[in-house]
Amino acid sequence: MASLSTPLSVRLSEEDTAFLAGLEVDGAVTASDKIRGLIRQARQRAESPNSFPAALTLSHDFLAPATRSVRLLEETAGRHSDVAVGLMTTAEELLALAMAAPRPDRSEPEDLVRHEARLVDCAARMMEQLLRWAVTPNAPAYDAKVVSRRVAELADLMRLVSAAPAAR
């Protein structure tokens, strides 16, 4: 644990104090522990993660409140969407890949090629899943037609993409 050597005093509004009291930060209980946790989180966000696993942890932590809210609402409503949860999971991975981008001080130019391939792979897996959901009669979503309606709007573009290799 870090050495606690510099006392710091701050004044907070009632609104900020109430927010801090209700905030969950790494299991912290006291306001001081929560503020230290918030500073630790801010430092982690400010410093570039040194690996994909570290970036994935950060992206997961960043998106966890939104995912938790959706899942709690699903529990309350008695409904579930593989589409919503799947897309949120993909967003977490894409964010982690973006945060783990090659850095000028510790990467070679060919690292850009690998990074780009990983981004495209993640996006392609997401598109493939959307297309699978679109061809089923009812997608596992709150609105069973949400995916098929949106993918139908892309039909002309998909036909052009399919025809493009023949035109080369």
Side-chain angles (χ1 to χ4, degrees), residues 36-53:
R36 281 190 289 275
L38 290 171
I39 291 170
R40 185 173 46 258
Q41 288 174 358
R43 185 183 311 116
Q44 287 172 336
R45 282 192 300 275
E47 297 170 352
S48 299
N50 59 3
S51 66
F52 177 74

Side-chain angles (χ1 to χ4, degrees), residues 143-154:
D143 172 356
K145 303 293 183 195
V146 66
V147 177
S148 59
R149 276 194 311 270
R150 184 63 178 120
V151 170
E153 295 172 11
L154 301 173

Side-chain angles (χ1 to χ4, degrees), residues 45 55-67 91-92 95 99:
R45 282 192 300 275
L56 188 59
T57 297
L58 289 174
S59 69
H60 174 77
D61 291 347
F62 182 74
L63 294 176
T67 303
E92 183 179 290
L95 179 59
M99 290 189 306

Side-chain angles (χ1 to χ4, degrees), residues 22 24 30 36-37 52-53 63 68 81 84-85 101 109 121 135 139 150-151 156 161:
E24 292 181 27
T30 68
R36 281 190 289 275
F52 177 74
L63 294 176
R68 185 173 189 271
S81 171
V85 172
D121 180 61
V135 297
R150 184 63 178 120
V151 170
D156 288 338
V161 167

Side-chain angles (χ1 to χ4, degrees), residues 5 16 19 22 27 30 35 37 52 61 85 88 90 98 105 146 152 158:
S5 62
D16 288 344
F19 171 77
T30 68
I35 290 170
F52 177 74
D61 291 347
V85 172
M88 292 175 83
T90 301
D105 61 334
V146 66
M158 287 188 290

